[in-house]
Amino acid sequence: MTRSVVPAASLVLTALLGCIDAAMSGGAAVRPAGPRTAARASAPAPALLLWSEDTPAAPAARSAPARAALPVFLEPPTVQVRLASARPGKDLAFSVHGAYRVFELRGSLEDGARGPLLAAGDGLKRARATAGREGVVMNGELLAGKAVLVCPRNDGGLELDGRRYRGDLALLASPGQELAAVNRVDIEDYVAGVLFGEMPKRFADEALRAQAVAVRTYALYHVLNGRELSDDQGSQVYRGTELETAAARRIADSTAGEVLTHADRLVEAYFHSTCGGATSSAAEVFSVRAAGEVLAGANCASCRVSPHYRWTRGVPLAAIAGLYKGAFGAALTFEVASRDSAGRALEIAVLDAAGARVDLLPADRFRNRYNAGRPLAQQIPSALIDEVRRGGAELRIKGRGFGHGVGLCQYGANGQAHAGASYRAILGCYYPGAEIRRLYD
Ligand SMILES: [Zn+2]
């Protein structure tokens, strides 16, 4: 990848339009009523945080990060996505279709500089790599102390776990420990590969374009801030070329290089399935205070057709008690203890059979813990919980939306696209105040 120090502002394309949602919905305010965050102040201190060791599902709550300045690229940059890792003593299999060369990796994974040529050939079937005591071992032969780059001549010539990948494969060893397999791939190939992993392909083109810009922005934000991308929902679902169709490529190409920025920084472009009426503030949901107005939340009247707009779930009391290993009896219930300004639960209070509070914890942590291992149809889809009612041995919960509720609402984006909105207008609605810039041609 090549970077210059030319100020990004010189490449500003256009400012986003304001949110068209109000015009499309007749200007009706759609924020649900609900207690404000002030309710948090009156909540008692947690009695027992049995789950304090848990890591919430991504994105994790954290304090405001220092955000990297926006570079300008002379060509599409490469992003790095971890595909797999092998534990000590285990190996990792991959194949190369066609000619290939293996180099020592010099410097950082991000720069991907090629060192001495270590091996070359034509076709590699189920090569086995492992982290040996002295470095990267491939098919029993020590290649390098720390890291190698496997570079196929054919784009898409890499195969790992039955999937084909464009770009190169970096194998990184911690001697005698873990081996990581990381795909170094052109950002535009990555966007085309991720698009249909994150949004249904039946959605309208303008919604897909908005999603493509969000995917590109989210990936570059994380890479430029030194964070690793995974290939699953921890980052964005990426399956190499498996979901990369001609339609995905066309959509990605039509927005090539475009990212969301605010105050000369990339936006951490969160997105989710269905907001249920209003998106939430990243500051309130994830404690990302640096996000500012761009991720402050917006009204959304366009996702009502989503199958996830309203939902009801039965939650067995015994299942809640099970999370505490029965420590407080077999009939624990819960209630929403505080909400954000969009109506999403921020904190959940868990009560024993006598109604006494036995725990108070972040709503997403409660939801993630309860949802773990349950089929989708039984999970609590969002923290936008409107009603919790006791009915025999279970709680009947009514709520709205699917996902964390921050950033772009995918069903809302699709609704707006069908009503004639452009992808720029859609992005302007869900990331208010953001600009679209083209970082490279
Ligand atoms: Zn929505």
Side-chain angles (χ1 to χ4, degrees):
M1 121 175 72
T2 309
R3 292 181 183 172
S4 79
V5 292
V6 180
S10 63
L11 290 188
V12 172
L13 279 186
T14 180
L16 277 169
L17 303 174
C19 180
I20 64 163
D21 206 35
M24 290 171 52
S25 64
V30 294
R31 277 192 186 278
R36 310 279 295 192
T37 47
R40 303 182 77 176
S42 61
L48 274 172
L49 281 171
L50 295 188
W51 301 334
S52 58
E53 76 286 5
D54 288 353
T55 302
R62 60 178 183 275
S63 58
R67 294 186 297 153
L70 186 62
V72 169
F73 301 95
L74 300 180
E75 58 190 34
T78 299
V79 294
Q80 303 85 42
V81 190
R82 183 183 285 230
L83 304 179
S85 41
R87 301 169 73 85
K90 303 289 183 186
D91 56 21
L92 196 149
F94 68 95
S95 300
V96 180
H97 299 266
Y100 69 91
R101 292 184 292 173
V102 181
F103 300 91
E104 184 173 352
L105 175 66
R106 281 277 172 84
S108 72
L109 176 64
E110 184 184 66
D111 291 335
R114 297 176 180 183
L117 179 67
L118 303 172
D122 192 358
L124 198 55
K125 195 167 184 184
R126 288 196 66 76
R128 309 198 78 84
T130 188
R133 296 168 68 93
E134 296 173 83
V136 182
V137 175
M138 200 165 87
N139 287 340
E141 183 185 348
L142 176 66
L143 288 183
K146 288 185 178 172
V148 303
L149 269 180
V150 180
C151 305
R153 177 180 292 168
N154 300 332
D155 192 23
L158 274 174
E159 182 181 338
L160 195 130
D161 284 339
R163 292 178 181 141
R164 298 287 284 265
Y165 293 89
R166 300 185 188 278
D168 299 336
L169 182 69
L171 298 170
L172 312 166
S174 311
Q177 299 176 36
E178 187 180 78
L179 182 78
V182 177
N183 186 199
R184 296 189 75 258
V185 60
D186 180 294
I187 179 73
E188 294 302 319
D189 291 335
Y190 173 80
V191 171
V194 165
L195 186 62
F196 290 153
E198 290 290 354
M199 181 176 264
K201 56 182 72 174
R202 69 176 187 280
F203 276 22
D205 278 5
E206 293 300 299
L208 289 164
R209 288 193 175 95
Q211 179 72 66
V213 174
V215 165
R216 184 181 297 107
T217 307
Y218 186 90
L220 285 176
Y221 177 94
H222 281 252
V223 167
L224 293 177
N225 283 285
R227 298 190 203 139
E228 187 176 86
L229 292 173
S230 66
D231 64 352
D232 58 14
Q233 290 175 338
S235 297
Q236 303 183 118
V237 176
Y238 169 61
R239 296 178 184 165
T241 61
E242 190 174 292
L243 301 175
E244 181 200 308
T245 63
R249 177 60 68 177
R250 175 176 59 81
I251 295 291
D253 285 351
S254 68
T255 64
E258 292 183 356
V259 294
L260 292 159
T261 70
H262 184 252
D264 291 332
R265 296 286 191 273
L266 286 171
V267 173
E268 190 168 13
Y270 293 109
F271 54 88
H272 60 279
S273 167
T274 304
C275 75
T279 65
S280 275
S281 149
E284 289 182 303
V285 174
F286 301 137
S287 302
V288 182
R289 281 175 287 279
E293 62 172 326
V294 177
L295 291 172
N299 289 333
C300 172
S302 306
C303 59
R304 290 176 188 276
V305 298
S306 166
H308 312 292
Y309 187 78
R310 289 189 190 283
W311 47 261
T312 303
R313 291 287 188 279
V315 173
L317 303 189
I320 308 172
L323 299 177
Y324 291 86
K325 297 182 169 42
F328 305 104
L332 297 189
T333 61
F334 74 83
E335 63 186 16
V336 175
S338 64
R339 296 179 188 269
D340 70 7
S341 47
R344 249 170 217 90
L346 288 173
E347 291 173 308
I348 295 289
V350 179
L351 314 172
D352 66 14
R357 184 176 288 189
V358 298
D359 202 359
L360 179 73
L361 68 169
D364 272 351
R365 186 174 295 180
F366 173 80
R367 200 164 62 84
N368 293 333
R369 183 62 186 249
Y370 178 80
N371 288 346
R374 292 180 192 281
L376 204 59
Q378 293 177 18
Q379 294 182 6
I380 301 173
S382 83
L384 188 44
I385 295 169
D386 292 324
E387 183 181 299
V388 181
R389 210 146 43 95
R390 173 90 183 257
E394 69 170 20
L395 295 175
R396 297 299 289 173
I397 306 172
K398 291 183 176 177
R400 282 171 289 147
F402 184 23
H404 52 60
V406 176
L408 180 136
C409 165
Q410 293 177 316
Y411 271 90
N414 195 40
Q416 292 194 34
H418 280 298
S422 70
Y423 75 97
R424 291 171 179 273
I426 293 168
L427 291 168
C429 176
Y430 294 111
Y431 306 101
E435 291 180 323
I436 294 180
R437 293 186 184 187
R438 180 172 288 160
L439 290 184
Y440 46 85
D441 291 319

